[in-house]
Amino acid sequence: MNVIILAAGLGKRMQSALPKVLHPLAGKPLLSHVLDTARALSPSRLCVVYGHGGDAVPSLLAAPDLAFALQEPQLGTGHAVMQALPHLDDAVPTLILYGDVPLTRATTLQRLLEIAGKDKLGILTIEMADPSGYGRIVRENGRIVRIVEQKDANAAEKAISEVNTGIMVVPTPQLRRWLATLSNQNAQGEYYLTDIVARAVADEVPVVAAHPDTLAETLGVNSKSQLAELERLHQRALAQALLEQGVTLLDPSRIDIRGTLRCGRDVTIDIGCVFEGAVELADGVVIGAHCVIKNARIGAAVQIKPFCHIEDATVGAAGQIGPYARLRPGTVLAEDVHIGNFVEVKNSTIAAHSKANHLTYVGDSEVGTRVNIGAGTITCNYDGVNKLRTVIEDDVFIGSATQLIAPVRVGAGATIGAGTTLTKEAPAGKLTVSRAKQITIEGWARPVKTKKSS
């Protein structure tokens, strides 16, 4: 099929310079959600009609499978679809979607496509207790004969509860012909796409309807308030899917997934956690409260304690992280590694059974197995121009408050005395200490403030 996505609206009520369809829902633009759904249907042609915001939409979302058509000025939905006509294949029907309606499911659209086939006009409709603001589906003897917009409806038509979602599929040759006949003689002075329904009836083209499973699939975004409501609806649906998979969420209303989250068995997630990008949690992982995890793989039986930040990192099985730990991009931890409170690791590998439990920075380093890194240790990896490597071999013990001035190597089994500033290689199996001599100065008195005379 062809797919047209209408995304030219100003979004005045958003009170933002950003085009409405680029505002984020679950971490990605509204329009990206619609594009993902459209691509799930494997369309032969895919076209986005853009307008307000200039080239911001095509600049951000350009892709080889995607055509763009500019609508300038914006003269209604019918006029918007006209701009996409050069990109359509007449041999297949055309599905029309909206860039600010992000939660429609591919299964719902497939249902609409199947009921319409290649020769019918299909409309996605829904029953609403309060249909105010929506175009009403007017039927005669059970058959759809037209759609009337709220501003043009009479009292009887306003009482109709079946409404138009705007999503429809149309035989493409007829679409071209019907669009050419549209008029803007209506309350808004616009070319309504919905007017093609009456054209189809006049041409004896069957008009059929399909229905979504939930109202949320049809909701659009016109304000920040509506965007926030859809965010919660979407997050609740994602949380429900996790619960059905067996994940324990201590409060399903307090989790945010801004990407994809794959969980194994017996995973537990506490409140206030944010997952961004692609995150994998293996069997038995426990995530403490208020963690932010982005593009990470967490191994089996790992415990991540509260208030940790993990980005572009891998944590091996049975590890313990936090609380208040930060794993930055390039961090790879093997099994049973302990990273404690206020410890930061960046672009480093740490082998199995090693520990850095307190107030430590490990950057651009290669750490062996069974290494103990004492509190307050720093790998000094930046000379102002270059990032330099530190190598700590197996079974090393590093005392507290040590500075390792890269590039430097600590040999296997070495011990570094607390307070050492290491600038040269520490030999394997030996104690290395570098400290200033401790002295006591007799007769020294601490300065005291003198009282100012009044």
Side-chain angles (χ1 to χ4, degrees):
M1 81 217 74
N2 307 301
V3 175
I4 300 172
I5 302 175
L6 304 187
L10 172 62
K12 191 173 182 180
R13 289 165 57 193
M14 300 295 284
Q15 301 290 332
S16 172
L18 186 69
K20 178 171 66 171
V21 295
L22 297 185
H23 283 263
L25 176 84
K28 66 181 181 182
L30 294 168
L31 179 53
S32 291
H33 288 269
V34 184
L35 284 168
D36 288 348
T37 302
R39 286 177 172 129
L41 300 171
S42 301
S44 50
R45 305 281 181 89
L46 180 55
C47 179
V48 170
V49 180
Y50 71 102
H52 284 287
D55 291 333
V57 171
S59 295
L60 181 66
L61 299 175
D65 67 337
L66 193 54
F68 291 92
L70 175 63
Q71 185 191 19
E72 183 60 41
Q74 284 78 46
L75 301 176
T77 52
H79 179 257
V81 175
M82 293 177 195
Q83 313 314 305
L85 292 179
H87 301 283
L88 304 184
D89 177 3
D90 282 7
V92 293
T94 295
L95 175 65
I96 300 167
L97 305 175
Y98 294 80
D100 61 355
V101 182
L103 302 185
T104 313
R105 298 173 183 171
T107 52
T108 293
L109 297 177
Q110 191 64 50
R111 188 183 308 148
L112 176 64
L113 290 162
E114 288 172 359
I115 197 172
K118 292 186 177 182
D119 57 354
K120 301 181 186 69
L121 192 159
I123 307 171
L124 191 69
T125 72
I126 193 166
E127 296 279 344
M128 297 186 72
D130 180 8
S132 300
Y134 287 84
R136 307 306 201 276
I137 301 296
V138 180
R139 293 177 180 263
E140 292 179 1
N141 299 320
R143 294 184 177 184
I144 297 173
V145 294
R146 60 192 174 91
I147 299 174
V148 60
E149 298 298 328
Q150 168 88 17
K151 292 183 179 180
D152 300 300
N154 59 37
E157 291 165 342
K158 287 179 180 177
I160 296 171
S161 60
E162 184 183 11
V163 302
N164 171 41
T165 67
I167 295 172
M168 60 176 64
V169 58
V170 190
T172 304
Q174 286 90 332
L175 176 63
R176 293 183 189 275
R177 187 170 71 252
W178 295 333
L179 288 174
T181 70
L182 294 185
S183 167
N184 65 347
Q185 299 304 306
N186 52 57
Q188 298 188 79
E190 295 183 348
Y191 297 93
Y192 294 154
L193 178 63
T194 50
D195 285 349
I196 70 172
V197 174
R199 307 297 195 276
V201 172
D203 287 350
E204 298 184 343
V205 173
V207 180
V208 295
H211 314 290
D213 294 325
T214 65
L215 176 63
E217 292 189 64
T218 71
L219 297 178
V221 173
N222 291 302
S223 67
K224 291 291 180 67
S225 176
Q226 290 176 345
L227 179 61
E229 290 173 6
L230 258 65
E231 181 76 44
R232 286 304 98 209
L233 285 171
H234 182 55
Q235 293 298 338
R236 180 66 203 205
L238 295 175
Q240 186 63 35
L242 290 175
L243 292 169
E244 291 172 0
Q245 294 168 21
V247 177
T248 297
L249 303 178
L250 296 192
D251 185 346
S253 67
R254 287 189 282 177
I255 181 174
D256 283 87
I257 301 169
R258 301 169 187 168
T260 58
L261 174 60
R262 296 174 57 188
C263 296
R265 295 173 64 86
D266 300 311
V267 169
T268 299
I269 301 172
D270 208 332
I271 64 169
C273 292
V274 178
F275 300 92
E276 301 180 356
V279 177
E280 296 181 24
L281 308 179
D283 294 351
V285 169
V286 176
I287 308 291
H290 304 293
C291 291
V292 179
I293 303 178
K294 179 177 181 180
N295 295 327
R297 289 188 295 120
I298 312 299
V302 168
Q303 291 193 27
I304 298 178
K305 297 173 185 178
F307 297 100
C308 290
H309 284 226
I310 299 174
E311 179 179 0
D312 294 307
T314 299
V315 179
Q320 294 190 37
I321 312 298
Y324 296 99
R326 185 182 182 195
L327 305 183
R328 290 171 57 192
T331 295
V332 178
L333 309 182
E335 64 176 323
D336 187 37
V337 170
H338 293 197
I339 301 296
N341 50 285
F342 302 103
V343 175
E344 179 178 351
V345 184
K346 188 269 291 185
N347 192 31
S348 298
T349 61
I350 300 180
H353 315 300
S354 291
K355 300 177 182 180
N357 279 328
H358 320 279
L359 303 158
T360 288
Y361 172 65
V362 179
D364 297 288
S365 298
E366 181 181 335
V367 180
T369 187
R370 297 178 300 278
V371 170
N372 188 91
I373 299 176
T377 295
I378 301 171
T379 57
C380 304
N381 56 324
Y382 185 49
D383 65 4
V385 177
N386 301 303
K387 298 291 180 69
L388 304 168
R389 300 288 294 177
T390 296
V391 177
I392 302 171
E393 296 182 352
D394 297 345
D395 299 303
V396 166
F397 183 95
I398 295 178
S400 299
T402 292
Q403 299 90 48
L404 305 169
I405 312 298
V408 71
R409 176 181 293 270
V410 180
T415 298
I416 308 299
T420 291
T421 299
L422 192 71
T423 58
K424 297 183 293 184
E425 179 173 342
K430 295 184 179 180
L431 170 65
T432 298
V433 183
S434 170
R435 298 184 190 140
K437 182 179 179 181
Q438 180 174 314
I439 61 173
T440 300
I441 300 174
E442 301 292 344
W444 178 84
R446 181 183 298 169
V448 296
K449 291 183 179 180
T450 57
K451 293 182 180 179
K452 293 182 180 180
S453 58
S454 56

